[in-house]
Amino acid sequence: MNAIECYQLSRRFQTITAVDNLDLVVPAGTIFGFLGPNGAGKTTTVRMLCALIAPSSGSARVAGFDVQTEADSVRANTGILTETPALYDTLSALENLTFFARLYGLSATQASERAAHYLRLFELWERRNDPVGGFSKGMRQKLAIARALLHDPAVLFLDEPTSGLDPAASRSVRDVIKSLRASGRTIFLTTHNLAEADELCDLIGVFRTRLISLDTPANLRTRLFGRSVRVVLAGPAAPLAPLVQQLSFVMNVTVDDERTLLVQLTDPEKDNPVLVRALVAAGADVCYIEPFTPSLEAVYLELIQEPVAG
Ligand SMILES: Nc1ncnc2c1ncn2[C@@H]1O[C@H](COP(=O)(O)OP(=O)(O)OP(=O)(O)O)[C@@H](O)[C@H]1O
């Protein structure tokens, strides 16, 4: 089953087109990473998918419901963590959660059960009676995610969930996100943290008003950079680059540093021995050769450089 399906989804604000003909399918139980520069239209997309604003054209189904004709059901089945979640500072963690659970329509018993469940899950139980005003940013963020989960939504939208958190708090929030996927939820994660997207996401959409690319992190790398190896030599690398470039299976060569070549090729298992033989025949001493995995950041920067297809 698909958690999210968009068909030609668009939103215009006066003269600005914020989202242009978005076609997107996100399978249930996955973490989808939505990446794009500032002003790309990510928040606008999330607001349409949560049935908070109407599309100008096109359609979308979230958790099986149409965002326009079944907006109440969409809202009942989605949770959203906004970039700056508001919590009541003078209320305790438990009071905050039970208050919001009642707003979602849960009975008093259900509200306290659900609040206790998430406070334990997110390791906030010991601090349940403390006013939230004294909580660290990481604790507040976990509490805000808990709040978004109180009505047990199938699809959770998280906007920059680890922004401004220290490494330990970020790790703890990422673990929470993984545990939510393990429980079968679908997570729509908007982030500028590419290492985080790489670690968490099953599927990544790179977006700038239009969807530029949609694939798994591994496929995005291979599609853009092919399969690459780093060749570390005992002597200078630059003089050998032209020779390597001439090999029929080599797609591209760059000099990574004084003694290192980055070689993009089609089939490392088959091509590496030929590459090494050619280098040795040219008098080079090969110290070692290893697979090279470009960072998702390199992939992302390459993708958003490309002009948006007409
Ligand atoms: N209510 C609105 N009225 C007019 N223009 C809007 C409105 N909401 C968004 N926009 C415009 O739509 C475009 C996309 O904005 P949006 O907030 O969706 O981008 P974003 O990708 O979420 O950006 P960021 O990463 O900075 O949060 C921007 O040009 C923005 O100014």
Side-chain angles (χ1 to χ4, degrees), residues 19 51 62 68 70 76 126 138 143 188 194 201 257 283 293 302:
V19 177
V62 178
Q68 284 172 286
E70 298 167 296
E126 302 301 317
L143 194 62
F188 190 106
L194 299 171
C201 298
D257 66 35
T293 309
E302 187 76 20

Side-chain angles (χ1 to χ4, degrees), residues 37 206 208 212 297-308:
V206 179
R208 196 183 56 203
I212 297 172
E297 184 174 29
V299 174
Y300 171 79
L301 291 175
E302 187 76 20
L303 281 169
I304 61 164
Q305 261 178 30
E306 288 175 11
V308 178

Side-chain angles (χ1 to χ4, degrees), residues 127-236:
R127 302 290 300 272
R128 65 190 178 283
N129 293 320
D130 294 352
V132 166
F135 275 23
S136 72
K137 214 169 165 188
M139 291 162 69
R140 294 176 74 89
Q141 197 69 330
K142 287 201 286 188
L143 194 62
I145 296 176
R147 183 181 65 182
L149 287 164
L150 287 168
H151 56 305
D152 202 18
V155 185
L156 188 64
F157 292 84
L158 301 176
D159 190 2
E160 292 281 328
T162 60
S163 161
L165 302 190
D166 70 32
S170 299
R171 161 63 46 216
S172 157
V173 167
R174 281 201 291 276
D175 289 344
V176 162
I177 295 171
K178 285 182 196 167
S179 73
L180 295 173
R181 169 176 52 193
S183 71
R185 286 196 176 74
T186 308
I187 317 284
F188 190 106
L189 174 72
T190 304
T191 181
H192 291 292
N193 181 337
L194 299 171
E196 175 171 287
D198 208 3
E199 177 189 337
L200 293 177
C201 298
D202 303 294
L203 199 60
I204 285 185
V206 179
F207 184 76
R208 196 183 56 203
T209 312
R210 289 175 167 214
L211 193 62
I212 297 172
S213 191
L214 177 71
D215 218 325
T216 62
N219 284 349
L220 282 177
R221 287 192 179 88
T222 312
R223 243 177 50 205
L224 279 188
F225 290 95
R227 295 187 64 190
S228 299
V229 291
R230 286 177 79 236
V231 183
V232 180
L233 303 157

Side-chain angles (χ1 to χ4, degrees), residues 4-253:
I4 299 171
E5 296 176 354
C6 305
Y7 302 102
Q8 300 285 293
L9 189 69
S10 299
R11 172 71 199 210
R12 290 174 283 280
F13 296 104
Q14 294 91 38
T15 54
I16 297 170
T17 299
V19 177
D20 190 12
N21 289 318
L22 173 63
D23 286 321
L24 175 67
V25 171
V26 177
T30 58
I31 301 182
F32 171 71
F34 200 39
L35 311 184
N38 291 127
K42 302 182 299 294
T43 307
T44 304
T45 303
V46 168
R47 290 171 71 206
M48 285 193 281
L49 295 179
C50 292
L52 299 176
I53 57 169
S56 305
S57 57
S59 64
R61 297 184 77 78
V62 178
F65 301 101
D66 187 287
V67 296
Q68 284 172 286
T69 59
E70 298 167 296
D72 285 347
S73 299
V74 169
R75 286 192 282 267
N77 286 282
T78 52
I80 181 165
L81 173 81
T82 56
E83 210 173 344
T84 46
L87 295 159
Y88 289 105
D89 282 354
T90 52
L91 297 185
S92 70
L94 186 60
E95 286 165 341
N96 262 283
L97 290 190
T98 42
F99 172 77
F100 285 106
R102 295 305 302 273
L103 284 188
Y104 281 124
L106 272 65
S107 70
T109 317
Q110 280 177 324
S112 37
E113 277 172 11
R114 205 62 69 78
H117 169 75
Y118 283 114
L119 288 168
R120 286 202 169 91
L121 185 69
F122 296 168
E123 294 171 349
L124 294 169
W125 182 245
E126 302 301 317
R127 302 290 300 272
R128 65 190 178 283
N129 293 320
D130 294 352
V132 166
F135 275 23
S136 72
K137 214 169 165 188
M139 291 162 69
R140 294 176 74 89
Q141 197 69 330
K142 287 201 286 188
L143 194 62
I145 296 176
R147 183 181 65 182
L149 287 164
L150 287 168
H151 56 305
D152 202 18
V155 185
L156 188 64
F157 292 84
L158 301 176
D159 190 2
E160 292 281 328
T162 60
S163 161
L165 302 190
D166 70 32
S170 299
R171 161 63 46 216
S172 157
V173 167
R174 281 201 291 276
D175 289 344
V176 162
I177 295 171
K178 285 182 196 167
S179 73
L180 295 173
R181 169 176 52 193
S183 71
R185 286 196 176 74
T186 308
I187 317 284
F188 190 106
L189 174 72
T190 304
T191 181
H192 291 292
N193 181 337
L194 299 171
E196 175 171 287
D198 208 3
E199 177 189 337
L200 293 177
C201 298
D202 303 294
L203 199 60
I204 285 185
V206 179
F207 184 76
R208 196 183 56 203
T209 312
R210 289 175 167 214
L211 193 62
I212 297 172
S213 191
L214 177 71
D215 218 325
T216 62
N219 284 349
L220 282 177
R221 287 192 179 88
T222 312
R223 243 177 50 205
L224 279 188
F225 290 95
R227 295 187 64 190
S228 299
V229 291
R230 286 177 79 236
V231 183
V232 180
L233 303 157
L240 294 159
L243 166 102
V244 172
Q245 185 68 71
Q246 278 170 17
L247 297 170
S248 60
F249 52 82
V250 169
M251 290 147 76
N252 194 30
V253 186

